[in-house]
Amino acid sequence: MKKLLRVTIIDLRKTLVSYGTVVCIAAVFLICFASTIYTDGFTGKEYTVLEVIADRRKLPQIGLSPLDIVRSSVNPYLTLFLPVLSSIPFVTLFCAERLSGNIRFIITRTGKLTYALSKFFSAVISGALTVTIGFIMYSLVIFVVFGRDGALSDLIRIYTGTAIYGAVSVLPAFLLSSFIRNKYMICCFPFIFMHFYYTVLAKLQDHYIDNWKVILKINMLYTSNIKDIFFTHDKSTVMLYTVLTVAVFAVYTLIMNRRLDNGQ
């Protein structure tokens, strides 16, 4: 246990203290401002957070509190790019280890299971922190501009849900890293997959537009909904992503253990 903790802390230190992590945090921060939070009922024009900040007179028309604006700030751009932004810090370090050949010596010292667990924890924690820090910076700007309201417990639930969303978003890249060595492919494949995934879900929603039971089940498959689990208390969503997380780790460990080159 002590060895696992030590190795995980070392991985996290290397992962988080890098230019790539800073860039990803800044990207999350900036993309949040592109969220559409208001649509004019007469003209049909959509207003983003940045446009509302530029013209604060529209805030009473929106009918949303600053806390509501923070909650609704996960936009399609962030949903598509989050699997990339949350995984870059981990993938950069992991691929550097493989290309340098150091992975063989690390596995020899720690053991395959400890190595897999340390990589899993460093991946999900770095993904969670990258997304959450960017989101906290964004929410602070919202509260400075519009004022702060709502209970502190609600804010903590928002940040915790965002951290879980970031942790889940890194899972595709974590799985791909077990059999792909190119860091660009590892980061780009989840982006492409999410684009087609959400396109399919949108088509299914259009097809079953009159069947609310099916619509609710389809909505559960949107990964962005996981950030609201502390508000919706949807146990099925929690179970779905818990099973998904365990399955990803099991497949990753199986692939890495079957490799004869110690992961290189």
Side-chain angles (χ1 to χ4, degrees), residues 66-74 135 138 154 158 227-228 231-232:
L67 193 64
D68 292 328
I69 293 176
V70 171
R71 276 193 65 188
S72 60
S73 295
V74 176
F135 197 77
Y138 161 76
D154 289 338
I158 292 174
K227 67 183 177 60
D228 294 322
F231 292 93
T232 59

Side-chain angles (χ1 to χ4, degrees), residues 27-73:
V28 172
F29 168 72
L30 294 174
I31 293 175
C32 285
F33 288 98
S35 303
T36 299
I37 57 172
Y38 171 66
T39 303
D40 193 310
F42 295 100
T43 63
K45 177 177 172 56
E46 296 181 340
Y47 292 90
T48 64
V49 176
L50 195 60
E51 290 174 318
V52 175
I53 290 176
D55 187 2
R56 301 184 196 177
R57 294 174 298 176
K58 294 189 177 297
L59 186 60
Q61 303 176 24
I62 298 174
L64 295 176
S65 67
L67 193 64
D68 292 328
I69 293 176
V70 171
R71 276 193 65 188
S72 60
S73 295

Side-chain angles (χ1 to χ4, degrees), residues 1 97 165 168 221 230 264:
M1 188 66 182
E97 282 184 357
Y165 184 28
V168 170
L221 299 176
F230 293 105
Q264 292 192 57

Side-chain angles (χ1 to χ4, degrees), residues 30-218:
L30 294 174
I31 293 175
C32 285
F33 288 98
S35 303
T36 299
I37 57 172
Y38 171 66
T39 303
D40 193 310
F42 295 100
T43 63
K45 177 177 172 56
E46 296 181 340
Y47 292 90
T48 64
V49 176
L50 195 60
E51 290 174 318
V52 175
I53 290 176
D55 187 2
R56 301 184 196 177
R57 294 174 298 176
K58 294 189 177 297
L59 186 60
Q61 303 176 24
I62 298 174
L64 295 176
S65 67
L67 193 64
D68 292 328
I69 293 176
V70 171
R71 276 193 65 188
S72 60
S73 295
V74 176
N75 56 70
Y77 296 109
L78 187 61
T79 302
L80 285 175
F81 284 103
L82 209 57
V84 179
L85 297 175
S86 62
S87 62
I88 285 177
F90 161 75
V91 170
T92 303
L93 174 64
F94 183 74
C95 290
E97 282 184 357
R98 295 181 75 168
L99 294 176
S100 66
N102 290 334
I103 186 174
R104 182 184 297 275
F105 304 106
I106 296 173
I107 292 178
T108 302
R109 291 198 308 268
T110 62
K112 290 185 178 181
L113 182 58
T114 300
Y115 180 83
L117 283 169
S118 67
K119 289 305 177 186
F120 173 76
F121 287 129
S122 63
V124 296
I125 293 174
S126 63
L129 288 177
T130 300
V131 176
T132 306
I133 293 173
F135 197 77
I136 289 175
M137 292 168 55
Y138 161 76
S139 64
L140 289 176
V141 173
I142 296 298
F143 293 143
V144 168
V145 174
F146 298 117
R148 185 185 174 279
D149 69 334
L152 179 60
S153 59
D154 289 338
L155 193 58
I156 293 174
R157 286 192 289 175
I158 292 174
Y159 291 154
T160 306
T162 304
I164 296 174
Y165 184 28
V168 170
S169 297
V170 80
L171 292 179
F174 175 75
L175 178 60
L176 290 171
S177 67
S178 63
F179 57 90
I180 298 178
R181 302 176 66 177
N182 188 300
K183 61 183 177 182
Y184 301 107
M185 294 177 65
I186 294 173
C187 291
C188 289
F189 279 165
F191 173 82
I192 298 171
F193 171 77
M194 291 303 296
H195 174 71
F196 285 104
Y197 178 70
Y198 276 101
T199 301
V200 171
L201 291 182
K203 294 292 184 181
L204 288 174
Q205 282 185 321
D206 292 338
H207 182 72
Y208 294 102
I209 190 66
D210 297 325
N211 192 330
W212 283 104
K213 291 183 178 180
V214 177
I215 291 294
L216 290 175
K217 291 180 179 180
I218 293 174

